[in-house]
Amino acid sequence: SLSLSLDTLLITRSHAFSLVSTPLRRLSPRTPLASYRRSSSLPPNSPVVGLRPLSMQAAADAPPSDGKISDEALDVSAYSPKSTFLKTMVERGFLHSCTDIETLDKKMEAGVVTAYLGFDATAPSLHVGSLLQIMILKHLQQSGHKPIVLLGGGTTKVGDPTGKDASRKMLTDDDIQANIDGIRGVFDKFLTFGEGETEATMVNNDEWLSSLKYLEFLRDYGTLFTINRMLSFESVKQRLARENPLTFLEFNYMILQAYDFLELNRRYKCTLQLGGSDQWGNMVNGVELTRRANSGAEVFAMTAPLITTSDGKKMGKSEGGAMWLNAEMLPPYDYWQFWRNTNDDDVGRFLKLFTELPLEKCDELASAKGAAINSAKKVLADECTRMLHGDGVLKKIHETAESVFAGKDGSMDNLPKLGVSADEAKEGVPIIDLYIKLGFAKSKSECRKLIEGGGARINGEKVSDIGTVITSDMLSDGAVKLSMGKKKHGLVEVE
């Protein structure tokens, strides 16, 4: 089939636009065309590999992607890596897919590999959903390689459409900068930054994306992308299949992400892009672009699985909302409680992914049964909280956790109690029914209003979903404390 290149499509669009609008820039009659030379946005003395972009003719002459990578995630489950980093990724459950994993493994055994991971600045804090990626960077550095943290000051202006049914809210430059200022501090707790060979570097892609010139970008790179190829990526197909509009702005996101890899390869000799499995199509684009534009550069992409809980919920959310990493947006106690409330079936997996405990210790803790699993959950909560907020917060958190069940006199004896059968707990008991039986509300409609107003809590954590149920996992400690407002508290126990 005929392949339609990106520059053909965009130039056609540009010509149509020029018929109904004023040109964005006019050439002065006195200015010779020769004076409009291509300029590089690279700062002086930047490390550069293959700086000059392909011309239109060179791009046309470049071999059509002999190494074109499938949009389907590559199965690497049968491969047994030798390098420390990739072995860690496999053993602890981080590895989902990787391009040319055998060659990457050899390179990581032979010397330092520079890898990057991108974080768009869509909020003033990252949340637990980003913690997996941060842990990958931490393991990368501990394995003797160099991490680059790429902050998406430029790509945030476009908005990543991956997995979204609607366009993201557009942020102002001031909003994006404020978000970057809020995000950057968390990385200092996990990585060592500096100028050394394996010390981390933080970069903002606004440095090069905001200085791109539209026509020059089309001329140099438009022929390296085809609409046919871009439409084949799963993230695009899913959006179109749901018949939700995919704006031209969002469609460009994958191009800008691909260009990020090209720039990082030129500036920092970065050869590995890391990311979540939902980014596979965008990352494949970056690998293919960099290989073609940088004369066969040897570059790779590796993805981690998207983490969900054993009951199918997205990682990083709770009944009270997002689990933010910044203490000013989520108190350390609430962060600790999030991990303490981990489902029994997730404890072993989360210990391997989100702590640095030895694998043998993780397996030992995860093997506990019945009420004993709660000790493992406390270890998980302590380790995760210590890594993010430091040892200093744990004493107060433990004191708070011990008192959360107690009344004003420090005893639970004066709290109203409600018993449920083991069968009821196994099926799950609606929280609305329990609040009514405890006398906290007279009707289901009244209870719904109280929950929607933010007054309901389970073990001190806010409940926002009126469909919440109390399960046997939640009752594994023997009791659950339900609160309505500041004064009404009760215990639900298994009979």
Side-chain angles (χ1 to χ4, degrees):
S1 61
L2 186 63
S3 182
L4 177 63
S5 69
L6 179 68
D7 65 333
T8 303
L9 177 72
L10 299 190
I11 290 172
T12 302
R13 179 181 181 275
S14 299
H15 286 183
F17 180 75
S18 68
L19 295 176
V20 294
S21 66
T22 304
L24 295 178
R25 183 180 68 173
R26 297 178 184 272
L27 289 178
S28 166
R30 297 181 180 179
T31 306
L33 289 174
S35 68
Y36 281 84
R37 296 177 180 174
R38 183 183 314 167
S39 62
S40 169
S41 61
L42 293 176
N45 303 319
S46 292
V48 175
V49 180
L51 171 62
R52 187 174 178 83
L54 290 178
S55 66
M56 291 183 69
Q57 184 59 48
D61 292 340
S65 199
D66 291 333
K68 185 177 285 187
I69 305 163
S70 170
D71 184 36
E72 299 295 325
L74 303 177
D75 183 8
V76 294
S77 59
Y79 184 71
S80 298
K82 297 179 181 178
S83 63
T84 301
F85 175 67
L86 289 180
K87 281 177 65 177
T88 300
M89 293 297 97
V90 170
E91 293 170 349
R92 301 190 80 98
F94 287 100
L95 183 61
H96 181 267
S97 192
C98 186
T99 63
D100 197 2
I101 190 170
E102 292 188 37
T103 302
L104 176 61
D105 195 24
K106 291 176 182 177
K107 284 191 167 295
M108 297 196 112
E109 272 198 293
V112 176
V113 169
T114 300
Y116 92 93
L117 220 158
F119 301 85
D120 276 351
T122 54
S125 170
L126 299 175
H127 58 69
V128 168
S130 299
L131 189 59
L132 183 86
Q133 309 300 337
I134 297 174
M135 290 298 296
I136 290 174
L137 291 177
K138 185 175 181 67
H139 285 298
L140 179 83
Q141 188 170 51
Q142 290 177 337
S143 299
H145 302 287
K146 185 179 184 66
I148 295 177
V149 177
L150 181 67
L151 299 180
T155 42
T156 305
K157 297 175 183 179
V158 175
D160 184 2
T162 306
K164 300 294 180 182
D165 288 332
S167 300
R168 291 182 182 269
K169 176 185 175 183
M170 297 296 290
L171 301 176
T172 66
D173 288 355
D174 289 342
D175 290 336
I176 293 172
Q177 186 57 52
N179 290 344
I180 287 174
D181 293 341
I183 287 170
R184 66 170 67 243
V186 74
F187 294 100
D188 290 323
K189 301 176 181 181
F190 294 85
L191 301 171
T192 300
F193 287 85
E195 301 298 325
E197 187 179 23
T198 63
E199 290 181 320
T201 298
M202 186 174 290
V203 184
N204 185 341
N205 63 13
D206 195 55
E207 292 177 18
W208 53 82
L209 292 182
S210 287
S211 62
L212 289 176
K213 296 180 180 179
Y214 190 62
L215 290 179
E216 287 186 5
F217 186 78
L218 288 183
R219 180 189 63 189
D220 292 332
Y221 304 105
T223 54
L224 302 183
F225 297 93
T226 67
I227 302 303
N228 314 57
R229 177 71 165 144
M230 293 166 70
L231 289 174
S232 74
F233 289 129
E234 196 61 32
S235 58
V236 175
K237 289 194 292 186
Q238 287 179 5
R239 181 75 167 265
L240 296 178
R242 291 192 290 265
E243 297 185 357
N244 291 314
L246 178 66
T247 67
F248 181 75
L249 177 69
E250 294 171 292
F251 194 56
N252 276 267
Y253 186 92
M254 69 173 73
I255 300 170
L256 299 182
Q257 184 173 332
Y259 186 72
D260 280 343
F261 197 5
L262 177 60
E263 279 290 334
L264 290 171
N265 180 253
R266 288 172 171 168
R267 294 171 180 240
Y268 301 98
K269 300 182 181 179
C270 178
T271 56
L272 173 62
Q273 180 179 181
L274 303 165
S277 58
D278 59 336
Q279 293 290 319
W280 178 252
N282 291 359
M283 294 167 69
V284 164
N285 240 356
V287 169
E288 293 181 346
L289 172 66
T290 306
R291 286 177 178 175
R292 296 193 71 189
N294 277 359
S295 303
E298 204 164 26
V299 291
F300 311 87
M302 191 196 92
T303 62
L306 297 182
I307 303 300
T308 57
T309 58
S310 58
D311 54 5
K313 294 181 180 178
K314 187 176 181 180
M315 184 68 181
K317 302 286 185 179
S318 75
E319 299 297 342
M323 290 292 104
W324 302 108
L325 299 185
N326 287 13
E328 59 270 21
M329 293 185 67
L330 184 78
Y333 172 76
D334 290 347
Y335 185 77
W336 183 90
Q337 191 68 43
F338 168 79
W339 295 106
R340 172 61 184 80
N341 290 338
T342 296
N343 293 338
D344 292 3
D345 293 338
D346 292 327
V347 173
R349 186 163 56 109
F350 287 1
L351 282 166
K352 292 178 181 179
L353 290 172
F354 300 110
T355 79
E356 295 181 285
L357 293 176
L359 292 173
E360 298 78 10
K361 184 65 174 178
C362 294
D363 290 335
E364 176 191 334
L365 290 167
S367 66
K369 302 297 181 184
I373 194 67
N374 293 305
S375 296
K377 292 181 182 181
K378 290 174 183 176
V379 172
L380 172 64
D382 283 354
E383 291 298 317
C384 290
T385 305
R386 178 184 291 112
M387 196 176 297
L388 180 64
H389 296 298
D391 282 309
V393 302
L394 289 179
K395 181 180 179 182
K396 185 176 181 180
I397 286 174
H398 293 160
E399 291 173 351
T400 303
E402 289 171 5
S403 65
V404 74
F405 288 101
K408 290 182 179 178
D409 60 356
S411 170
M412 293 186 289
D413 295 339
N414 63 338
L415 294 180
K417 296 179 177 63
L418 179 66
V420 297
S421 69
D423 288 340
E424 287 177 316
K426 188 174 181 179
E427 292 181 8
V429 185
I431 192 175
I432 287 181
D433 294 344
L434 297 174
Y435 275 124
I436 292 174
K437 289 180 180 180
L438 283 167
F440 293 170
K442 296 179 180 179
S443 66
K444 290 187 176 182
S445 60
E446 180 185 352
C447 191
R448 286 191 185 96
K449 290 180 181 178
L450 291 169
I451 292 173
E452 291 170 351
R457 291 183 178 272
I458 299 175
N459 291 344
E461 185 176 349
K462 185 187 294 184
V463 178
S464 58
D465 183 359
I466 61 175
T468 298
V469 296
I470 300 298
T471 64
S472 53
D473 279 347
M474 299 168 70
L475 288 163
S476 57
D477 265 340
V480 166
K481 182 180 180 182
L482 299 184
S483 304
M484 184 63 76
K486 295 182 179 180
K487 298 182 179 180
K488 295 181 179 180
H489 307 282
L491 293 177
V492 179
E493 301 174 320
V494 178
E495 294 178 325

